[in-house]
Amino acid sequence: MRRALILQGALGPLTPLYPVFTGAGFARPEETDRVDVLPELVERGDVDLLVVPLEGAAPATLDLIEDLLRQRDGLVAIGTAPEASSDVILAAFRRGFSEFIVSPATPSDLSGALARLEAKWARAPKGGHITAVYSPAGGAGVTTIAVNLAHALSVRKPPGRVAVADLVVGLGDVSTHLNLSPTYDLGELVRKLDRADSESLHSITVSVQEGFDALTGTDDIEIGEDVTADAVMRIMDLMRSTYSYTVLDVEHTVSPRTIAALDGADRILLVFQVTVAGLRKAKRALAMFEQLEFAKEKIVLVANRVGTSDVMAWPDVAKALGRSVDFRLPNSFQLVADAQTRGVPIALAGMNGGSAQALIEAYQLLAIRIMGQKGFTPSAGASIVTTNGTGSGFGRLLSKLRK
């Protein structure tokens, strides 16, 4: 039975809400005005849900709750306020809150929030989370997105470390984007894969900054033959057991190792640009994912380099793709170019201005979504894709590739 702790006044009168909690599998919640008891209760595992009033909350209180959410897997928080202010909601989500409801809460609003939280708990994968960043077209900004998403995840300080892994053989750019000169790379890991463990993986990856590592791609074309689908799946298993979050920079060519990376990931960011060619390739990629029997919820559509000069309206883009775009990353050419020249994530490039801040905030929101939705819920009738690559869609597409 789950347990909820309510900071005084967060939900308003509790009597009409008790049946909602018990109906959702919670014990009768407790209400307190003592913030100082939270760390001890969380450490003992006595709390699964915190309900916090955001209006007038002291910064120290919100800082404490943010730290608790980062430190304990499975702990979630609902923020409340008398009005649904976008600034208040966004600030709460950036601190790790999972839900927001207007107070005093109605049974209907609370029931909906608890149902969404239960779905989140149910679909959380075991071990670390892996996000694959993929585009069917070269030059769409996959490496830029992979590096900056990994950095945004690390800034939120999850339990454990975050890694970006470059699976591109021969032409990988992660090392360039982060100004790295690694002693070892993907090729060395493949050579040692039979005896690799978390310790040897740490000796091969490069520490970019606190909590953030990089596995750089290999320039050795010959070793590319050994980067098979099986090797990719074994590398992903190793990354999953070593890191809380891994972001994969995946090759745009369709090959067994590309399919293995997409198949084994918990979530795929399908990156495209809003051009006729970009939309056609994105639609073909979606068709391929359907052949692979990937759940629709596994795929996040990301439009990159979005600008005011784009000629297609978003309803037309959604109609062309058969689904809505999930994220739009604004075009900030100067910021991206400057960050790449310096070899740092864009958030550390030191540029100000509206477009720069908009892009940085977009990556923060993307990281919040990844952290808030660690797994995915298969749609009705969909096969669950396993990390060992034995899903029927994976085998069927590989058989087509071999023909």
Side-chain angles (χ1 to χ4, degrees):
M1 184 169 287
R2 300 195 186 279
R3 288 150 295 189
L5 183 64
I6 303 168
L7 293 189
Q8 195 166 47
L11 292 175
L14 290 180
T15 301
L17 302 178
Y18 286 143
V20 179
F21 278 105
T22 56
F26 283 77
R28 183 167 172 147
E30 297 182 12
E31 190 173 34
T32 182
D33 60 356
R34 292 186 57 191
V35 177
D36 61 308
V37 303
L38 296 183
E40 182 181 354
L41 292 174
V42 170
E43 185 176 354
R44 292 204 314 248
D46 290 343
V47 182
D48 301 291
L49 168 64
L50 297 172
V51 186
V52 182
L54 300 175
E55 186 177 69
T61 297
L62 296 178
D63 289 343
L64 172 62
I65 292 171
E66 181 178 1
D67 288 340
L68 294 175
L69 292 172
R70 289 173 174 173
Q71 291 166 12
R72 191 193 140 191
D73 286 338
L75 178 66
V76 297
I78 295 176
T80 71
E83 296 181 358
S85 163
S86 58
D87 290 339
V88 171
I89 295 172
L90 183 57
F93 284 167
R94 286 175 178 166
R95 287 183 177 272
F97 283 69
S98 297
E99 292 286 336
F100 173 88
I101 53 180
V102 172
S103 62
T106 65
S108 176
D109 286 346
L110 178 61
S111 177
L114 295 181
R116 289 189 294 272
L117 290 176
E118 186 58 44
K120 172 183 174 179
W121 279 317
R123 66 182 180 243
K126 296 180 180 179
H129 178 277
I130 296 181
T131 299
V133 186
Y134 170 76
S135 175
V142 166
T143 302
T144 299
I145 292 173
V147 165
N148 287 286
L149 172 59
H151 176 259
L153 287 166
S154 71
V155 167
R156 298 193 62 76
K157 300 186 184 302
R161 299 179 68 82
V162 175
V164 58
D166 193 339
L167 298 185
V168 179
V169 175
L171 298 172
D173 282 330
V174 166
S175 59
T176 301
H177 279 59
L178 293 173
N179 192 28
L180 303 175
S181 299
T183 303
Y184 304 111
D185 57 24
L186 176 68
E188 183 68 14
L189 178 58
V190 171
R191 293 185 186 96
K192 297 180 176 179
L193 202 50
D194 288 337
R195 55 187 186 279
D197 56 17
S198 293
E199 184 176 348
S200 57
L201 177 60
H202 279 307
S203 70
I204 291 172
T205 57
V206 181
S207 178
V208 179
Q209 64 179 59
E210 182 182 358
F212 179 23
D213 296 343
L215 174 63
T216 58
T218 179
D219 294 329
D220 189 343
I221 301 298
E222 293 183 0
I223 197 67
E225 297 179 1
D226 296 326
V227 186
T228 61
D230 178 68
V232 167
M233 289 185 285
R234 292 167 65 188
I235 290 169
M236 291 174 70
D237 286 340
L238 185 58
M239 301 294 292
R240 193 184 295 277
S241 65
T242 305
Y243 292 95
S244 294
Y245 293 91
T246 299
V247 182
L248 304 178
D249 181 353
V250 181
E251 293 175 311
H252 70 274
T253 54
V254 177
S255 68
R257 65 179 174 234
T258 297
I259 301 304
L262 299 175
D263 180 55
D266 299 295
R267 196 165 298 279
I268 300 169
L269 303 189
L270 176 56
V271 181
F272 70 98
Q273 290 183 251
V274 186
T275 63
V276 173
L279 289 173
R280 285 177 177 172
K281 291 188 176 182
K283 189 170 184 177
R284 286 201 292 265
L286 289 172
M288 180 180 72
F289 294 163
E290 186 174 354
Q291 285 183 283
L292 285 165
E293 299 180 359
F294 290 164
K296 291 182 179 179
E297 295 85 353
K298 176 173 178 170
I299 302 157
V300 178
L301 271 178
V302 179
N304 194 25
R305 300 170 185 153
V306 173
T308 56
S309 61
D310 294 337
V311 296
M312 295 189 67
W314 290 109
D316 295 332
V317 172
K319 183 177 180 180
L321 295 177
R323 58 174 287 178
S324 299
V325 175
D326 297 292
F327 269 88
R328 308 173 192 175
L329 297 179
N331 189 16
S332 184
F333 174 80
Q334 192 58 50
L335 171 62
V336 173
D338 189 61
Q340 291 178 5
T341 300
R342 298 185 185 188
V344 297
I346 60 172
L348 302 180
M351 290 190 67
N352 299 315
S355 62
Q357 190 60 34
L359 184 56
I360 293 170
E361 290 183 357
Y363 278 112
Q364 292 173 349
L365 291 174
L366 187 53
I368 289 170
R369 171 156 180 178
I370 295 298
M371 295 181 80
Q373 300 178 338
K374 288 188 175 181
F376 64 93
T377 304
S379 55
S383 299
I384 296 177
V385 182
T386 59
T387 58
N388 60 13
T390 57
S392 59
F394 177 69
R396 185 159 57 251
L397 192 62
L398 286 185
S399 67
K400 292 181 180 180
L401 290 172
R402 294 189 184 106
K403 293 180 180 179

